[in-house]
Amino acid sequence: MTPVEAPAYVPGHGLLRGRTAVVTAAAGAGIGGATARRLLEEGARVLISDPHTRRLKDHQAELAAEFGDAVTSTACDVTDETQVRDLFDTAEREHGRLDIVVNNAGLGGTAPLVDMTDEQWTRVLDVTLGGTFRCTRAALRRMRETDGGVIVNNASVVGWRAQAGQVHYAAAKAGVMALTRCAAVEAAAYGVRVNAVAPSLALHPHLARVTTPELLEELTAREAFGRAAEPWEVANVIVFLASDYSSYMTGETVSVSSRHP
């Protein structure tokens, strides 16, 4: 089929004016970077984090050229509890409050189950699921004191759908979905909402580097629109979940996908 072109970029409408957000793994051109930009365009002050310090500073500088001191950054490895605590301490120190957390950090890879090493399994689970756990815990410890907030986790349709070579990643993302549901039940008592997005295929330079052209072509062919999502199209759904337009949604995982069977 002929691919359906992506729509025009949607301008901001001030949906998050006056709020402060933290976005993990936000350096670069992927979903995290697109989400940081969309949050800023909607009026939020944003603290971006990433374990890659140089790339993080470069992306902060790029955003600061447009949004000034509304964007700050601090390095954070979400597998390190001390760094996670420091991340949220920095958000409160620099911006005075914490309203939105986007847990975007994750690690993929491809390996058949029979050849997968313990290290491959553990690393993917620790970054993708363990990192989401640590950041959610840190955020809730602060949000319960302020009676409100929103957490949005980045899951994946692979948490629902079988894909060869993705046992570790699929298990981690299914875990993120389960964590989202359980955390939402607990967080409701604090006035905090917890939801997730589950993208199918959002094409960006990093994905292109770690995925074969053949696999990308196969995955793209399964999409109903005949193309991958733009990262900002996923970010738009994250903005919706972070905004008051989703005020009665919690514990949900929203598929951001045009994929057909």
Side-chain angles (χ1 to χ4, degrees), residues 127-151:
V127 174
T128 307
L129 179 55
T132 300
F133 158 71
R134 292 182 195 94
C135 290
T136 299
R137 178 176 61 186
L140 287 179
R141 285 174 174 171
R142 288 159 174 79
M143 288 176 171
R144 69 181 175 183
E145 304 300 326
T146 57
D147 296 321
V150 181
I151 298 171

Side-chain angles (χ1 to χ4, degrees), residues 31 152-158 160-161 177 196-203 223 225 227-241 253-259:
I31 292 172
V152 185
N153 298 323
N154 192 357
S156 169
V157 294
V158 178
W160 289 313
R161 300 169 178 166
M177 295 177 184
V197 294
S200 56
L201 181 63
L203 191 58
E223 297 294 319
F225 292 141
R227 65 172 178 87
E230 297 291 335
W232 61 264
E233 291 180 291
V234 179
N236 283 348
V237 181
I238 293 173
V239 165
F240 162 71
L241 292 173
T253 297
V254 180
S255 175
V256 188
S257 170
S258 69
R259 190 176 181 185

Side-chain angles (χ1 to χ4, degrees), residues 178-243:
L179 184 154
T180 298
R181 292 190 295 270
C182 294
V185 172
E186 296 184 19
Y190 316 137
V192 177
R193 298 186 295 110
V194 187
N195 291 293
V197 294
S200 56
L201 181 63
L203 191 58
H204 52 85
H206 177 68
L207 178 63
R209 286 195 301 269
V210 300
T211 308
T212 66
E214 293 77 17
L215 179 57
L216 284 176
E217 183 178 352
E218 176 189 341
L219 294 175
T220 301
R222 297 179 186 176
E223 297 294 319
F225 292 141
R227 65 172 178 87
E230 297 291 335
W232 61 264
E233 291 180 291
V234 179
N236 283 348
V237 181
I238 293 173
V239 165
F240 162 71
L241 292 173
S243 77

Side-chain angles (χ1 to χ4, degrees), residues 36-244:
R37 174 175 290 278
R38 294 272 27 186
L39 294 173
L40 288 161
E41 290 169 344
E42 294 295 347
R45 295 176 61 84
V46 181
L47 173 63
I48 60 175
S49 75
D50 200 278
H52 302 284
T53 305
R54 183 188 59 78
R55 193 168 66 188
L56 177 65
K57 289 299 183 183
D58 288 347
H59 194 221
Q60 180 194 353
E62 177 186 334
L63 292 172
E66 295 182 55
F67 302 101
D69 62 4
V71 57
T72 57
S73 69
T74 188
C76 180
D77 177 348
V78 297
T79 68
D80 185 317
E81 173 61 18
T82 298
Q83 292 188 41
V84 169
R85 286 199 302 267
D86 289 346
L87 169 65
F88 289 96
D89 287 345
T90 300
E92 292 189 325
R93 182 174 63 252
E94 293 186 351
H95 299 296
R97 57 182 293 121
L98 179 66
D99 302 296
I100 300 162
V101 174
V102 179
N103 287 317
N104 176 66
L107 181 67
T110 300
L113 175 60
V114 294
D115 297 325
M116 188 176 294
T117 65
D118 283 7
E119 193 279 331
Q120 287 175 305
W121 169 268
T122 301
R123 179 64 177 162
V124 169
L125 267 290
D126 196 22
V127 174
T128 307
L129 179 55
T132 300
F133 158 71
R134 292 182 195 94
C135 290
T136 299
R137 178 176 61 186
L140 287 179
R141 285 174 174 171
R142 288 159 174 79
M143 288 176 171
R144 69 181 175 183
E145 304 300 326
T146 57
D147 296 321
V150 181
I151 298 171
V152 185
N153 298 323
N154 192 357
S156 169
V157 294
V158 178
W160 289 313
R161 300 169 178 166
Q163 186 171 316
Q166 297 294 306
V167 168
H168 46 3
Y169 187 69
K173 291 299 191 180
V176 169
M177 295 177 184
L179 184 154
T180 298
R181 292 190 295 270
C182 294
V185 172
E186 296 184 19
Y190 316 137
V192 177
R193 298 186 295 110
V194 187
N195 291 293
V197 294
S200 56
L201 181 63
L203 191 58
H204 52 85
H206 177 68
L207 178 63
R209 286 195 301 269
V210 300
T211 308
T212 66
E214 293 77 17
L215 179 57
L216 284 176
E217 183 178 352
E218 176 189 341
L219 294 175
T220 301
R222 297 179 186 176
E223 297 294 319
F225 292 141
R227 65 172 178 87
E230 297 291 335
W232 61 264
E233 291 180 291
V234 179
N236 283 348
V237 181
I238 293 173
V239 165
F240 162 71
L241 292 173
S243 77
D244 291 340

